[in-house]
Structures are given as C-alpha cells and as structure tokens.
C-alpha cells in the first residue's frame, strides 16, 4: 500500500484525507479524514478577490493539516483547489501561502478535472453492485460550483457550472451584510432561475437524461441525508450510501427555506458553517432531481477527496 494525503480546498470548506491505498485491490483505508469550514470564497463573487480574513482561516487549517500529515508519515501529498481560487484575482497570494505551510503547490484545477476526480471517488466502490443501474450521474454540489459527470466505467461527459450553496446565498440572500432569514418567494425564484440556467448549460455537454442512478456528493447533500434520517448527530457511516427519496428532499428543502437561522442551527446534524447556506444547497439538489426525473439520490461520503487520493496512489 501507498500512504497518501489528499487535500481538497473548495469555496466553503477545506478537507484532508490521509489513507493507505492499494491500487491492485481498489482498497482505500482511511487513517484520518477531516473537514474545516473556512469560507475561502467569502465575497469572491462580488469582489473578484480572496478576502484577507478568508485566506487566514484557510492558512490556519493548512497548518493543522500539515501536522496531521507529518504525524502519519504520508509518502505523497496532493493539494487541489477548486472554484473560489480559480476565480480570484489574487490567487497567487493563496498559492504562496499554501506552499510555505505544506511544501506543495496547490493545483488550481479546471472544472473538468474536478469532475473526473469526483466521479472516480464516488463510483470506484460501486462497481459490481447490481442494485444501482448505470450510467451514473454524479453531482458534486460545492460552495461555488456544481460538477456534473455522467459515466459508467468511464466518464461520458462532464461539466462544471457556477452554482453552489455559497455563491447562490451571497448572490441572492445577503442584504446589508446579513443573510435574509427566511428568504422571500422572489429571492427563492431568483435562485431557481440561476439554477435552471446552469442546468441548461450542463445539458449542452452532459447527457443528463441518460442517467439511471443519481449519486450526490458534498456537504449540502450529506446534510440533507442526515436530516432525512433524523440523526442525533452527523454520522458518516449512516450517511454513506444512504438513499433519500425525491419527496423527502422536496419536503426538507421547503422546510429549510422557511426556517430561521436559529431553527436551522438547532438541527442536531447541522454543521455551524452550513447554517446560512444549506437552503440554497438543498434547492440545487432538488432542482437537479426535478430536471432528470430522479426518484431518489444515493448519497456518497466519498467524492473528489477520494479521487485525489487515487490519483497519487
């Protein structure tokens, strides 16, 4: 086995996976998997720049992760940065900071590369299951963008579009520096319009209609699953490969969009960093299910992070 460390830095969170990987058997054994909400994409949609406080939160998480990687003695490290750092004018400042702390340069990957990693991470362990029809549609709903990948054993089509829980929240639900709580029907309709336009773009290069199984990734989807199961706390094992029906997703989304900050924060499985953005994230998931006529979503805890780990194994 090869001991690897994969870091995925997105718009809302930064995550670390240290694992032993065996490319022959396809086994990936977790040694440490953690996530920190850093909101790197704070204000990027409006200013085009990474905010100083967002950079410092991210660098603080990197210092923590550097200690974990050293403790486990990972042989190979790969740091992948996605939507927020792709869009920012001052991304060189981000690159220098990460290099100083971790000794590796963050790779600001394209949306297509992001999609490939997500697909590999989400589907590698589904191989051989006869209860999930192919092709799969893997959707990774991030903070700034959502990746769509259709494939079976190989990717047939992939597209990254600029809809994500943070971007939609900041664009439509922030007034005078605060999140509107709860949003009005006009604001929800504006988010819906952005999502539908992005789905039209995705369909230009990804055969969404061919999908037979919808696989959903990332925090918005896993949180919806946790709520659907009424979990007393966030439980990765209970969430991984759970199935949530369309009706339940719609019910949860409508409830989240009607609720106040305090009501969402009181949900036992809710991460504090997702309280303000979960409504928009759930609405992205619901809209995708409606577009393709999905009766359920298969939820995966394994995603781009696992794909990054496999890429260096």
């Amino acid at each position: 086995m090869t001991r690897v460390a994969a870091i995925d830095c997105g718009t809302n969170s930064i995550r670390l996976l240290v694992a032993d990987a065996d490319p022959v058997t396809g086994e990936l054994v977790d040694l440490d998997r953690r996530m920190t909400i850093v909101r790197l994409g704070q204000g990027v949609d409006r200013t085009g720049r990474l905010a100083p406080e967002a950079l410092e939160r991210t660098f603080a998480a990197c210092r923590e992760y550097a200690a974990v990687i050293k403790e486990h003695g990972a042989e190979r490290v790969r740091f992948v940065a996605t939507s927020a750092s792709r869009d920012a004018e001052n991304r060189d400042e981000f690159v220098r900071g990460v290099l100083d702390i971790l000794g590796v340069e963050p790779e600001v990957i394209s949306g297509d590369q992001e999609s490939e990693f997500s697909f590999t991470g989400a589907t590698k362990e589904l191989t051989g299951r006869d209860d999930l029809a192919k092709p799969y549609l893997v959707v990774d709903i991030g903070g700034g963008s959502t990746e769509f990948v259709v494939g079976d054993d190989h990717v047939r089509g992939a597209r990254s579009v600029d809809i994500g829980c943070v971007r939609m929240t900041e664009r439509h639900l922030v007034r005078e520096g605060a999140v509107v709580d709860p949003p009005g029907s006009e604001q929800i309709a504006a988010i819906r319009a952005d999502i539908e336009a992005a789905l039209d773009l995705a369909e230009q290069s990804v055969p969404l209609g061919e999908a037979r199984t919808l696989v959903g990734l990332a925090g918005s989807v896993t949180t919806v699953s946790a709520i659907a199961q009424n979990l007393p706390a966030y439980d990765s094992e209970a969430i991984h490969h759970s199935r949530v029906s369309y009706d339940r997703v719609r019910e949860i989304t409508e409830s989240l969009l009607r609720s106040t900050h305090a009501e969402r924060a009181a949900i036992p499985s809710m991460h504090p960093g997702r309280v303000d953005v979960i409504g928009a994230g759930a609405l992205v998931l619901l809209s995708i299910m409606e577009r393709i006529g999905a009766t359920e979503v298969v939820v995966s805890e394994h995603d781009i992070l696992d794909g990054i780990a496999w890429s260096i194994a």
Side-chain angles (χ1 to χ4, degrees):
M1 287 193 174
T2 303
R3 184 158 294 182
V4 298
I7 299 171
D8 166 38
C9 185
T11 302
N12 196 44
S13 64
I14 183 169
R15 299 180 303 142
L16 168 70
L17 170 62
V18 181
D20 285 332
D22 187 340
V24 177
T25 63
E27 185 180 17
L28 194 68
V29 180
D30 288 15
L31 300 174
D32 199 306
R33 187 187 289 261
R34 60 182 67 194
M35 183 269 289
T36 309
I37 300 285
V38 294
R39 199 68 66 83
L40 179 62
Q42 172 192 331
V44 168
D45 194 50
R46 177 175 52 83
T47 67
R49 297 179 62 82
L50 298 168
E53 59 271 29
L55 283 169
E56 184 45 47
R57 289 193 298 266
T58 304
F59 294 155
C62 287
R63 287 187 278 271
E64 174 194 330
Y65 290 0
V68 174
I69 291 167
K70 183 177 180 181
E71 177 187 343
H72 285 292
E75 301 166 47
R76 302 175 187 173
V77 181
R78 189 172 191 180
F79 187 117
V80 166
T82 52
S83 181
S85 51
R86 259 202 314 268
D87 300 340
E89 294 172 5
N90 59 334
R91 67 182 186 182
D92 288 348
E93 186 179 348
F94 165 70
V95 171
R96 285 195 303 272
V98 171
L99 183 57
D100 287 346
I101 296 166
L102 287 160
V104 294
E105 187 168 321
E107 300 172 53
V108 183
I109 61 172
S110 69
D112 287 344
Q113 288 174 299
E114 196 173 340
S115 300
E116 291 277 357
F117 285 146
S118 294
F119 187 80
T120 300
T123 64
K124 196 170 183 70
E125 62 188 355
L126 300 180
T127 303
R129 286 187 55 166
D130 56 11
D131 60 327
L132 298 176
K134 296 179 181 178
Y136 307 117
L137 168 59
V138 175
V139 292
D140 187 340
I141 303 172
S145 62
T146 293
E147 281 62 56
F148 295 82
V149 196
V150 168
D152 32 49
D153 299 322
H154 302 285
V155 172
R156 294 188 188 178
R159 183 73 181 259
S160 176
V161 293
D162 285 340
I163 50 169
C165 58
V166 174
R167 194 184 296 270
M168 292 297 94
T169 299
E170 290 194 346
R171 185 177 293 173
H172 297 292
L173 302 184
V174 174
R175 294 291 181 273
E176 298 179 358
V179 175
V180 178
D181 214 16
S185 58
E186 288 186 6
Q187 291 159 316
I188 294 171
I191 296 176
R192 275 274 200 181
D194 273 7
I195 296 170
E196 293 301 325
L199 289 173
D200 290 342
L201 279 177
E203 282 193 310
Q204 291 176 10
S205 49
V206 182
L208 300 182
E210 294 181 11
R212 294 295 173 265
T213 297
L214 174 64
V215 182
L217 318 182
S220 292
V221 181
T222 57
T223 300
V224 167
S225 172
I227 296 170
Q229 297 181 66
N230 295 310
L231 296 179
Y234 193 92
D235 182 343
S236 293
E237 288 190 14
I239 290 167
H240 189 47
H241 288 174
S242 61
R243 301 185 185 197
V244 187
S245 70
Y246 164 76
D247 288 341
R248 193 75 175 103
V249 171
R250 179 173 50 79
E251 178 185 322
I252 290 166
T253 302
E254 291 174 353
S255 174
L256 289 169
L257 291 171
R258 287 195 305 268
S259 64
T260 64
H261 178 98
E263 289 168 338
R264 295 190 300 276
I267 297 170
S269 55
M270 182 73 68
H271 190 288
R274 298 205 184 279
V275 174
D276 285 333
V277 299
I278 184 61
L283 187 56
V284 173
L285 174 61
L286 178 66
S287 301
I288 292 167
M289 295 182 77
E290 289 175 347
R291 175 65 68 101
I292 68 170
T295 58
E296 68 173 10
V297 57
V298 178
V299 181
S300 179
E301 282 275 6
H302 293 180
D303 49 27
I304 186 173
L305 197 57
D306 302 75
I308 296 165
W310 279 116
S311 75
I312 55 175

